[in-house]
Amino acid sequence: VLQDRPLPQSLYSQHFQRLLVERGIGHLKLTQGITREELQSFVVRLSRPVESLSDGMRSTPHIVLGRTEFSEGLTGQQDQSEDLSPEEAQDFLEDLSGKDLTRFMDLFDAVKSKRKFNMSAISELVAGFIKVFACESDPLLALAPLRAMDEYTFTHSTNVCILNLAQAASLGLKGPVLHDIGIAGMLHDIGKLFVPEEILNKPGKLDDDEWAQICQHPVRGAQYLLGSTGIPQLAVITAFEHHMRYDLTGYPKVSPGWKLNLCSQLTMVSDTFDAIRTSRSYQEAGGQEYAMSILNKLSGKALNPGLVKNFAKVLRQQSLDARLSPPPKAG
């Protein structure tokens, strides 16, 4: 709420809210006389990881920080920043096949028709997954409700998002970075919406022109996201890099010495694993053990060997069997 008016929901306002809440800040007041240096110092401290702020966030002469508390019984609404209870987590997961699927497909319809889309729906979905992770002893249970879905775009994008979050969390990443890694997973393949469906679903070998169109989807996806409002930079980079391969022999071609972003490398692992175990018109689905064996063969070439090793550890720890959404029926 700013000057008694609710802020419009957007990726920016949600991100700013999370930063404040994680630091225990319930309200923020800027007073007359604030200097550029004072404001810049506040922004720098706000952007740092919470654990690095040994003395926490403190008020300054012209920036007053405080908490907002409600007396019991005055409101029936919960603080949206708090972790979900097990019951709320279950409700969120069960609702995925309805509301969130509809919003997700609306987003992709907007891209296909070259309309602007609202990032807040994707942001809320990823934030919901992160909250589920916080209250579940087995975070990958978040994949279970998607088992009944047969929309490939939704299931694959959501699986890659959740597998990204599981990998990143196991590496100790959290907060806004973890959230952006999840969004990058959801949007990594958005460039394929610019490729004709008959090419994407072709059962036989692609000809040179068709393969050239496939190879353009990372560039087209990154260009589209770069021109959209409220998209995290990680999502743009990941859309561009996720087919480059660890040894840079993939596509698009880049100059020697190119440094792949960590999020792109996480997405390569998630994307490859889920693609192998997904049934499509041009391939049969493979099981978890088969998919993991392929990842091991690609380790050091197409995939970061350290991340492949960590991914195998995540699968063992979280008992992933039968929790990924099922391979959609080919056709």
Side-chain angles (χ1 to χ4, degrees), residues 54-76:
S54 57
D55 57 346
M57 295 288 295
R58 297 191 177 190
S59 297
T60 61
H62 303 98
I63 302 177
V64 182
L65 309 178
R67 295 180 181 273
T68 302
E69 298 181 357
F70 297 94
S71 300
E72 185 176 357
L74 288 181
T75 176

Side-chain angles (χ1 to χ4, degrees), residues 70-95:
F70 297 94
S71 300
E72 185 176 357
L74 288 181
T75 176
Q77 295 183 335
Q78 278 191 296
D79 181 355
Q80 294 295 314
S81 67
E82 294 179 355
D83 293 338
L84 302 177
S85 67
E87 293 77 15
E88 291 169 328
Q90 187 63 34
D91 290 343
F92 169 79
L93 295 178
E94 290 176 353
D95 194 39

Side-chain angles (χ1 to χ4, degrees), residues 159-173:
N159 281 348
V160 172
C161 166
I162 294 172
L163 292 171
N164 268 12
L165 293 175
Q167 288 189 81
S170 74
L171 297 175
L173 299 175

Side-chain angles (χ1 to χ4, degrees), residues 138 140-141 288 313-323:
D138 184 347
L140 293 179
L141 283 172
Q288 177 181 320
K313 180 180 177 182
V314 170
L315 296 189
R316 289 195 301 270
Q317 290 177 340
Q318 304 297 348
S319 304
L320 188 64
D321 287 323
R323 286 175 182 162

Side-chain angles (χ1 to χ4, degrees), residues 18-251:
R18 279 195 302 275
L19 290 175
L20 295 176
V21 169
E22 288 171 357
R23 290 150 183 78
I25 301 172
H27 62 80
L28 169 68
K29 183 178 182 180
L30 308 180
T31 61
Q32 189 172 5
I34 187 172
T35 63
R36 178 184 293 272
E37 292 74 18
E38 194 176 1
L39 185 59
Q40 183 174 4
S41 176
F42 172 75
V43 171
V44 168
R45 290 181 63 80
L46 191 65
S47 65
R48 289 176 179 167
V50 177
E51 56 272 18
S52 70
L53 300 172
S54 57
D55 57 346
M57 295 288 295
R58 297 191 177 190
S59 297
T60 61
H62 303 98
I63 302 177
V64 182
L65 309 178
R67 295 180 181 273
T68 302
E69 298 181 357
F70 297 94
S71 300
E72 185 176 357
L74 288 181
T75 176
Q77 295 183 335
Q78 278 191 296
D79 181 355
Q80 294 295 314
S81 67
E82 294 179 355
D83 293 338
L84 302 177
S85 67
E87 293 77 15
E88 291 169 328
Q90 187 63 34
D91 290 343
F92 169 79
L93 295 178
E94 290 176 353
D95 194 39
L96 272 179
S97 59
K99 177 182 64 176
D100 288 302
L101 171 61
T102 300
R103 291 194 297 181
F104 187 81
M105 299 311 291
D106 285 346
L107 180 151
F108 275 73
D109 287 341
V111 175
K112 286 182 177 180
S113 59
K114 299 181 180 180
R115 292 182 286 110
K116 293 183 178 180
F117 68 88
N118 186 357
M119 258 302 298
S120 63
I122 296 297
S123 179
E124 290 170 10
L125 180 57
V126 174
F129 280 132
I130 294 174
K131 287 185 178 183
V132 170
F133 276 28
C135 71
E136 286 283 0
S137 58
D138 184 347
L140 293 179
L141 283 172
L143 295 166
L146 303 178
R147 293 181 54 77
M149 301 307 301
D150 62 359
E151 287 81 358
Y152 174 76
T153 301
F154 181 73
T155 55
H156 177 64
S157 298
T158 309
N159 281 348
V160 172
C161 166
I162 294 172
L163 292 171
N164 268 12
L165 293 175
Q167 288 189 81
S170 74
L171 297 175
L173 299 175
K174 52 188 174 181
V177 172
L178 182 63
H179 184 265
D180 288 354
I181 287 174
I183 289 178
M186 290 291 293
L187 299 177
H188 76 284
D189 253 350
I190 201 165
K192 283 189 175 178
L193 295 179
F194 302 102
V195 179
E197 290 187 15
E198 57 269 24
I199 295 179
L200 294 176
N201 297 319
K202 184 177 179 179
K205 184 178 180 180
L206 300 178
D207 61 33
D208 291 344
D209 179 66
E210 291 168 338
W211 178 244
Q213 291 191 59
I214 290 290
C215 290
Q216 278 297 306
H217 88 263
V219 175
R220 298 196 68 180
Q223 288 174 334
Y224 177 81
L225 294 177
L226 195 61
S228 303
T229 302
I231 306 295
Q233 289 184 345
L234 270 183
V236 179
I237 294 169
T238 300
F240 182 67
E241 293 185 339
H242 75 282
H243 276 296
M244 283 187 184
R245 295 171 58 101
Y246 179 65
D247 59 6
L248 299 181
T249 60
Y251 58 89

